[in-house]
Amino acid sequence: MVDRLRKQMKTIRVVAAVIRDGDKIFATARGYGEYKGKWEFPGGKIEEGETSQQALIREIREELTAEIEVGDLITTIEYDYPEFHLSMDCFWTRVTSGKLELKEAEACRWLALDELDEVDWLPADKMLIDVIKQIMIGM
């Protein structure tokens, strides 16, 4: 039943950057739309002809003016919002040049592992937080 409903929903493919600096992770608060003020990992839609990694590099350059190196895929989150199905490829990343300057988000924070629950995450990003905690606790 769920698979049949998912086929009827529009699927949006996006990427998310889990930007690390030591034991801290960068998060942004959405600056627009229905979920304004909710926290998420920076990233965005994959354009036609782009790989997930290319999309992530472009999105971070556009949203935060920094250059990043894309590392390993953490996971792909599949989440059904009321209006669409989200498929989100999530990667470890690090800043290689420039500074993280907010172009679209309304706020940002560097969060340590024990601070990850202090912000109000978007539902799909909350699923990613659970995966990140498991990975980082195991490190």
Side-chain angles (χ1 to χ4, degrees):
M1 174 91 172
V2 172
D3 288 336
R4 196 174 92 242
L5 291 174
R6 187 171 289 159
K7 287 178 185 173
Q8 294 172 356
M9 294 179 87
K10 178 180 180 181
T11 296
I12 298 178
R13 291 193 59 232
V14 300
V15 287
V18 181
I19 302 171
R20 285 182 63 187
D21 186 4
D23 65 344
K24 297 208 176 213
I25 294 172
F26 187 75
T28 59
R30 207 165 169 89
Y32 58 90
E34 179 182 352
Y35 296 101
K36 184 179 186 326
K38 295 269 191 183
W39 288 78
E40 65 183 346
F41 290 98
K45 290 182 184 172
I46 301 170
E47 293 181 358
E48 191 172 330
E50 280 184 321
T51 66
S52 295
Q53 294 88 340
Q54 290 167 333
L56 200 50
I57 290 167
R58 176 187 51 75
E59 285 286 348
I60 298 306
R61 187 180 296 137
E62 290 173 3
E63 290 182 17
L64 299 169
T65 71
E67 297 297 323
I68 59 166
E69 176 181 88
V70 180
D72 293 336
L73 176 71
I74 300 168
T75 190
T76 298
I77 299 291
E78 302 289 340
Y79 187 84
D80 290 329
Y81 282 95
E83 310 81 27
F84 60 91
H85 175 76
L86 183 77
S87 180
M88 180 169 68
D89 293 339
C90 310
F91 292 88
W92 293 115
T93 64
R94 69 177 187 86
V95 175
T96 56
S97 67
K99 293 186 179 182
L100 297 170
E101 298 176 23
L102 301 182
K103 297 291 185 186
E104 296 180 12
E106 66 180 25
C108 65
R109 281 183 66 182
W110 285 98
L111 300 166
L113 184 61
D114 63 349
E115 298 171 320
L116 292 174
D117 293 322
E118 293 180 6
V119 299
D120 186 14
W121 294 98
L122 284 166
D125 291 78
K126 175 63 178 140
M127 292 175 67
L128 177 57
I129 288 298
D130 294 339
V131 175
I132 289 170
K133 283 181 184 178
Q134 291 174 1
I135 293 169
M136 291 184 74
I137 288 169
M139 289 180 158

